[in-house]
Amino acid sequence: MMPGMFALCAISMGMAAYLNSRIVERLGMRLISHTALLLFIAVTGLHVLIAALGLEQIWTFVVLQSLTMAAFSLSVSNFGAMAMEPMGSIAGIAASLQGFISTFSGALVGILIGEQFNGTTVPLAAGALCCGFVSLGFVLLAEKGRLFRAHHSGSQPEALHNAPIEGASL
């Protein structure tokens, strides 16, 4: 059953990525990523509770893990894109560095979570919940303690649209 269950979890990530491509222009990256992070925390919290109470079955694991991975997909893609916004001409190198740091640190955190394995899914769910809370802490730090607020940068689409074109004459 492992390949099928793994595929269901992976499909949820693909569906989330597709959904993101359809709604990001309308709702904005911040609303989607902040909501997805809070959903990630809620789902992993529920997963910890169900697993700790010994109520987990294969179908609850797959449903909860699928929701967790979908929320992860929505949050990570939008947070990554927001991190690249101010990079401009060095976005390629910045994306490479971001990829290295996230892969390396993810591997280290994965080792720590994996070392907690006790024959149940509690360490997996609890590790994800802890990662969600740490992520929320970093987001609150970056957003100056406020979620869901509009971000105003110097490179807003309206400002670019209305900016005069250098060298153009009317």
Side-chain angles (χ1 to χ4, degrees), residues 88-123:
S89 64
I90 61 164
I93 225 163
S96 296
L97 185 60
Q98 179 186 34
F100 169 76
I101 292 170
S102 63
T103 301
F104 184 74
S105 60
L108 293 179
V109 170
I111 289 169
L112 292 173
I113 293 171
E115 289 294 321
Q116 306 307 309
F117 181 68
N118 63 3
T120 71
T121 60
V122 173

Side-chain angles (χ1 to χ4, degrees), residues 42-118:
V43 171
T44 55
L46 178 62
H47 195 174
V48 169
L49 181 65
I50 288 172
L53 293 173
L55 301 174
E56 185 145 66
Q57 299 174 11
I58 189 69
W59 68 270
T60 55
F61 175 80
V62 170
V63 167
L64 291 169
Q65 198 61 30
S66 293
L67 289 171
T68 298
M69 298 311 292
F72 178 80
S73 179
L74 284 171
S75 63
V76 168
S77 60
N78 287 297
F79 282 133
M82 286 188 291
M84 290 300 111
E85 280 181 331
M87 295 298 122
S89 64
I90 61 164
I93 225 163
S96 296
L97 185 60
Q98 179 186 34
F100 169 76
I101 292 170
S102 63
T103 301
F104 184 74
S105 60
L108 293 179
V109 170
I111 289 169
L112 292 173
I113 293 171
E115 289 294 321
Q116 306 307 309
F117 181 68
N118 63 3

